Amino acid sequence: MALALSAALLLTERPASVEDTTQQISTTLRCPTCQGISVADSPSPVARDMRDRIAAELRAGRSPAEIEREFVAVYGDWILLKPQPEGIGLVPWAVPIVLSLGGALVCLLVVRRWIRHRAPR
């Protein structure tokens, strides 16, 4: 019985701490000064201020989605390391797919042409 109870306690998820949630949100946002690094990974003072602001907002009871929307409102969609797949944000998602399909089609056509020219007549 005690084993089952301890197993049940281990399997129940504990709520994420403010620090854990701050880290999760920080990994989705781009540092405005470093531009290629997330707020979580950036050593810049701006990123540190952003992490502090995220933690304060979480302590005030705001949800991660609300905090992310606030940063998007201030900085624009550019602040997101992973753009939303809608509107202009769809471009980074669609371009690799279109290029891959186009490349596959070109390869197919080249191979077909190569096979036709190698066939005995």
Side-chain angles (χ1 to χ4, degrees), residues 39 42-56 71 75:
V39 170
S42 174
S44 77
V46 173
R48 185 175 40 249
D49 291 343
M50 289 174 75
R51 289 190 299 268
D52 292 343
R53 184 173 171 193
I54 292 168
F71 279 104
Y75 293 99

Side-chain angles (χ1 to χ4, degrees), residues 1 3 8 12 14 22 31 46 49 51 54 56 63 66 69 77 90-91 95 98-99 102-103 109 113 116 121:
M1 176 86 161
L3 183 62
T12 58
R14 65 175 175 83
T22 299
C31 175
V46 173
D49 291 343
R51 289 190 299 268
I54 292 168
S63 73
E66 290 172 325
R69 279 194 300 269
D77 285 334
L90 189 60
V91 172
V95 168
V98 170
L99 290 176
L109 293 175
R113 185 174 180 187
R116 281 187 187 160
R121 295 176 190 198

Side-chain angles (χ1 to χ4, degrees), residues 3 9 20-21 41 47 51 55 72 82 95 101 119:
L3 183 62
L9 289 175
D20 291 342
T21 308
D41 296 331
R51 289 190 299 268
V72 169
K82 183 177 174 187
V95 168
L101 291 174

Side-chain angles (χ1 to χ4, degrees), residues 51-90:
R51 289 190 299 268
D52 292 343
R53 184 173 171 193
I54 292 168
E57 295 287 341
L58 288 169
R59 287 186 191 101
R62 302 211 36 217
S63 73
E66 290 172 325
I67 296 167
E68 190 175 278
R69 279 194 300 269
E70 182 179 325
F71 279 104
V72 169
V74 172
Y75 293 99
D77 285 334
W78 169 87
I79 199 74
L80 300 174
L81 279 173
K82 183 177 174 187
Q84 300 297 321
E86 58 190 32
I88 194 71
L90 189 60

